[in-house]
C-alpha cells in the first residue's frame, strides 16, 4: 500500500511540474522586472517598443514574490512569448558557487517555473581546503538575455590557482587576483521554449576575450572589488568566497543586437578617485572571432560615463536595433549612444522606488532599484502553423501524421522522438509540400521503421515504471487500475500544457521540427505516441 501511495505522490509531482499555465507577453513590448530597495516583491513592468524613449511610460502588470530569491538576467523569448530569468538562490552551500543560480520561466501574470540550476562551463579551477574541494566558477546572474530561443549568460571562472591557494594556506594573506587570473565565458542553452529542466552543461560556450587594454583595465577594477569583498568579509573562506562573488562591479546585463547578432554589455567599476558606491562604466560590443571559439570584446566609442554614477541594472535594444536603452539602480533611464558610448539620461523612470538603499557619495542618489530589462520581440508570423498531430506505434513502426494550416519559407520537417520528453533524437526528414508559401491545409504522413527508433524507445511503459518502483508481480489489480487512472488523470490535467495526450500508456514522445530555408528551426507541440 505504501508503494502505491509513493506512485501516487510521484505522479502528483510530475503532473504539477507539467501543468503551470502561463500567460504570454504581448509583442512589441519591452519588460522590466524590478523591486524597490529591500522589498521582497518584484513588479513586472511593460513599455511599448514605440515608446521606449519615454522614461515615464512604464506600466505595472503583475507583482511576484520571489522571496528570498533575487531575479536578474532577463530576456523575452519570441518563440513562446515568455520571460526567462537568472535567479540567485543559494542552496545552503556558500562555498559552492556552481549551483547558486537557477533559470526561471515567467509569464505575464507572474506565474513562474523553476527550470533548475544554470550550469557553469566546468572550466573553473578546483580549490581544496580541509577536505573541501570546490570549483571556483559562478554564473554572473546580472548578465543574461534571450536570442533565437537560446538563453545566453556569462560565467566567471578562476583560471589560475596560485594566488587563491596561497591565501587559503596562510589564512592571513590578502587576496590579490587580477584580470589574468580569471576567465569570463559566454554560455548558451538551446531550445529553451521546450525545456522541462535545465541541462547538466551548456549547449556551448565561448571565452570572452578581454585583451583590449581599456576593457582589461575595467575588468581589473572589477576584480579588485572581488578581492576587497573577500578580504573584508569575516568567517571561513567559503563565506568570503560567497561575498566576493556578490560585487556591484563587473558586466551588468547583456543584450544581443536583433539584426547583427553582436553581443552588447555594460561594465561598471568603482570611480578611480571617489570610490565608495560611485560607479563609472561604458558599453562594450563583442563579436565571434573567425574560428568561432571566442567573443572579442571592444569598447563602444571612447566615453567612460561618470553620470549616472550608480550601477546599470538593465540593458535592452528596441526591435529595430537602432536604439539601446539603459536602466540604472538610481531609477535613472537613458539611451546609450552606439557611436560614442555615452549615456544620455532621459529622465528618472516611473518604476517604483522606495528610497531605501545604498547612498551614492557624489550624487546623493539612492541605489534602490534592483532588477533587469528585456528587449521586445516583433509581432512575427510563425513560419508554420501546425494543425493536428498524431503518432501511432504500430507493428510496422512509428506512424506520424500531421497537418499544417499554413507555411511560409518552410524547407523540411524533422521527426524527433524521445523516451523522457527532454532529450530528442531525429529519426526522419520529410520535405515540405509547400511552394515556399501555402495558406491552405497540407497533410503529411511518414512511417519510421522500428529498427530506426533509438534503443529503449519501445521498452518504457506503466508496468515498467511499477517494476522500477519495486512492485513487480506483487502489485494488485487495483494497483494496476489506479496506475492507469492516475496516468489518465495526469494527462488530462496537462491538456493545456506543451505535452499533448494522445491516449497512450507508452512513454514515447514525438515532436516535429520545422526548418526554414535559412536553417531556422521551430518546434511543434510534444505528443505521446498511441499504441496500436
Amino acid at each position: 500500500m505504501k508503494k502505491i501511495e509513493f506512485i501516487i505522490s510521484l505522479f502528483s509531482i510530475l503532473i504539477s511540474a507539467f501543468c503551470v499555465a502561463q500567460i504570454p507577453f504581448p509583442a512589441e513590448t519591452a519588460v522590466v522586472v524590478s523591486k524597490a530597495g529591500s522589498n521582497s516583491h518584484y513588479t513586472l513592468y511593460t513599455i511599448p517598443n514605440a515608446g521606449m524613449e519615454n522614461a515615464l511610460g512604464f506600466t505595472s502588470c503583475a507583482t511576484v514574490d520571489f522571496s528570498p530569491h533575487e531575479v536578474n538576467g532577463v530576456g523575452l523569448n519570441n518563440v513562446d512569448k515568455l520571460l526567462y530569468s537568472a535567479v540567485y538562490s543559494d542552496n545552503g552551500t556558500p562555498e559552492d558557487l556552481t549551483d547558486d543560480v537557477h533559470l526561471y520561466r515567467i509569464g505575464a501574470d507572474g506565474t513562474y517555473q523553476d527550470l533548475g540550476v544554470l550550469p557553469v562551463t566546468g572550466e573553473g579551477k578546483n580549490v581544496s581546503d580541509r577536505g573541501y574541494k570546490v570549483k571556483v566558477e559562478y554564473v554572473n546572474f546580472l548578465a543574461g538575455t534571450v536570442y533565437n530561443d537560446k538563453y545566453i549568460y556569462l560565467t566567471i571562472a578562476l583560471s589560475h590557482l596560485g594566488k587563491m591557494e596561497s591565501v587559503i594556506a596562510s589564512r592571513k594573506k590578502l587576496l590579490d587576483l587580477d584580470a589574468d587570473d580569471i576567465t569570463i565565458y559566454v554560455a548558451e542553452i538551446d531550445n529553451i521554449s521546450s525545456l522541462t529542466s535545465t541541462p547538466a552543461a551548456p549547449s556551448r560556450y565561448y571565452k570572452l576575450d578581454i585583451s583590449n587594454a581599456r576593457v582589461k583595465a575595467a575588468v581589473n577594477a572589477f576584480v579588485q572589488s572581488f578581492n576587497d569583498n573577500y578580504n573584508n568579509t569575516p568567517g571561513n573562506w567559503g563565506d568570503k568566497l560567497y561575498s566576493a562573488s556578490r560585487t556591484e562591479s563587473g558586466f551588468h546585463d547583456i543584450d544581443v543586437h536583433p539584426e547583427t547578432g553582436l553581443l552588447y554589455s555594460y561594465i561598471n567599476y568603482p570611480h578611480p578617485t571617489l570610490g565608495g558606491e560611485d560607479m563609472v562604466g561604458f558599453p562594450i560590443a563583442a563579436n565571434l572571432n573567425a574560428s568561432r571559439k571566442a567573443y572579442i570584446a571592444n569598447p563602444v566609442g571612447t566615453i567612460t560615463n561618470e553620470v549616472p554614477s550608480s550601477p546599470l541594472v538593465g540593458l535592452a535594444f528596441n526591435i529595430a536595433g537602432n536604439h539601446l536603452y539603459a536602466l540604472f539602480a538610481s531609477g535613472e533611464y537613458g539611451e546609450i549612444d552606439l557611436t560614442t558610448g555615452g549615456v544620455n539620461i532621459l529622465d528618472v523612470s516611473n518604476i517604483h522606488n522606495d528610497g531605501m538603499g545604498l547612498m551614492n557619495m557624489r550624487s546623493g542618489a539612492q541605489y534602490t532599484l534592483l532588477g533587469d530589462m528585456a528587449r521586445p520581440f516583433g509581432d512575427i508570423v510563425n513560419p508554420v502553423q501546425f494543425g493536428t498531430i498524431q503518432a501511432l506505434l504500430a507493428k510496422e513502426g512509428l506512424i506520424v501524421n500531421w497537418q499544417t494550416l499554413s507555411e511560409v519559407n518552410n524547407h523540411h520537417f524533422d521527426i524527433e522522438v524521445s523516451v523522457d520528453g527532454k532529450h530528442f533524437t531525429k529519426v526522419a526528414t520529410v520535405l515540405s509540400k509547400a511552394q515556399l508559401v501555402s495558406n491552405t491545409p497540407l497533410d503529411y504522413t511518414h512511417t519510421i521503421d522500428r529498427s530506426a527508433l533509438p534503443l529503449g524507445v519501445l521498452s518504457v511503459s506503466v508496468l515498467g515504471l511499477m517494476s522500477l518502483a519495486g512492485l513487480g508481480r506483487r502489485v494488485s489489480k487495483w494497483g494496476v487500475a489506479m496506475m492507469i487512472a492516475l496516468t489518465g488523470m495526469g494527462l488530462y490535467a496537462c491538456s493545456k500544457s506543451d505535452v499533448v495526450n494522445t491516449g497512450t500508456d507508452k512513454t514515447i514522445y514525438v515532436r516535429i521540427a520545422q526548418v526554414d530555408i535559412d536553417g531556422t528551426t521551430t518546434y511543434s507541440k510534444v505528443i505521446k505516441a498511441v499504441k496500436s
Side-chain angles (χ1 to χ4, degrees), residues 266-269 271 277-282 304-313 326-336 341-348 360 362-363 365 367:
Y266 192 93
I267 185 166
N268 276 119
Y269 54 97
H271 193 286
E277 302 302 333
D278 286 78
M279 292 282 174
V280 297
F282 59 87
T304 297
N305 297 289
E306 296 189 19
V307 177
S309 52
S310 59
L312 178 137
V313 296
L327 181 64
F328 294 85
S330 57
E332 293 164 290
Y333 180 74
E335 182 177 351
I336 295 175
V343 176
N344 173 32
I345 295 300
L346 300 171
D347 206 336
V348 175
N360 184 291
R362 181 160 54 88
S363 67
Y367 291 8

Side-chain angles (χ1 to χ4, degrees), residues 11-20 105 113 115 196 494 497:
F11 268 80
S12 298
I13 292 170
L14 290 173
I15 289 167
S16 64
F18 277 108
C19 296
V20 178
R105 179 187 287 138
Q113 293 172 281
L115 297 174
T196 55
C494 288
S497 75

Side-chain angles (χ1 to χ4, degrees), residues 420-444:
D420 60 4
K422 300 177 184 179
H423 306 92
F424 284 83
T425 300
K426 182 174 75 173
V427 293
T429 296
V430 178
L431 291 176
S432 170
K433 294 180 180 180
Q435 300 297 316
L436 292 183
V437 177
S438 171
N439 292 311
T440 58
L442 295 174
D443 294 313
Y444 296 84

Side-chain angles (χ1 to χ4, degrees), residues 182-246:
I182 67 166
T183 302
I184 301 170
Y185 293 96
V186 180
E188 298 179 352
I189 295 178
D190 290 342
N191 303 322
I192 56 174
S193 62
S194 59
L195 281 183
T196 55
S197 62
T198 50
S203 302
R204 69 195 61 81
Y205 59 89
Y206 310 90
K207 178 181 177 181
L208 184 66
D209 185 327
I210 57 169
S211 57
N212 175 276
R214 189 166 162 226
V215 173
K216 190 169 186 177
V219 173
N220 266 321
F222 147 63
V223 175
Q224 186 55 52
S225 294
F226 184 98
N227 293 334
D228 291 342
N229 280 14
Y230 184 96
N231 295 330
N232 296 329
T233 298
N236 61 41
W237 73 278
D239 294 331
K240 295 163 79 70
L241 195 59
Y242 161 79
S243 176
S245 68
R246 307 285 287 162

Side-chain angles (χ1 to χ4, degrees), residues 31-150:
V31 175
V32 169
V33 181
S34 175
K35 72 172 183 175
S38 57
N39 190 346
S40 63
H41 289 74
Y42 282 80
T43 301
L44 303 181
Y45 293 88
T46 59
I47 187 168
N49 177 70
M52 286 181 72
E53 76 285 351
N54 180 12
L56 303 179
F58 293 92
T59 302
S60 62
C61 64
T63 300
V64 193
D65 186 0
F66 292 107
S67 180
H69 310 316
E70 296 179 41
V71 177
N72 220 298
V74 302
L76 280 168
N77 191 5
N78 66 346
V79 176
D80 57 11
K81 299 177 175 56
L82 297 174
L83 190 73
Y84 289 78
S85 175
V87 178
Y88 183 85
S89 174
D90 178 53
N91 293 326
T93 53
E95 71 280 354
D96 185 0
L97 303 179
T98 65
D99 63 353
D100 286 345
V101 180
H102 288 223
L103 180 65
Y104 276 31
R105 179 187 287 138
I106 305 170
D109 57 348
T111 57
Y112 62 89
Q113 293 172 281
D114 182 353
L115 297 174
V117 174
L118 267 176
V120 296
T121 68
E123 296 286 353
K125 297 295 184 182
N126 289 318
V127 175
S128 300
D129 178 56
R130 298 182 182 181
Y132 289 101
K133 188 175 184 180
V134 176
K135 187 175 291 295
V136 183
E137 181 179 10
Y138 65 93
V139 172
N140 176 11
F141 85 109
L142 301 177
T145 192
V146 172
Y147 183 68
N148 285 346
D149 207 22
K150 295 183 292 189

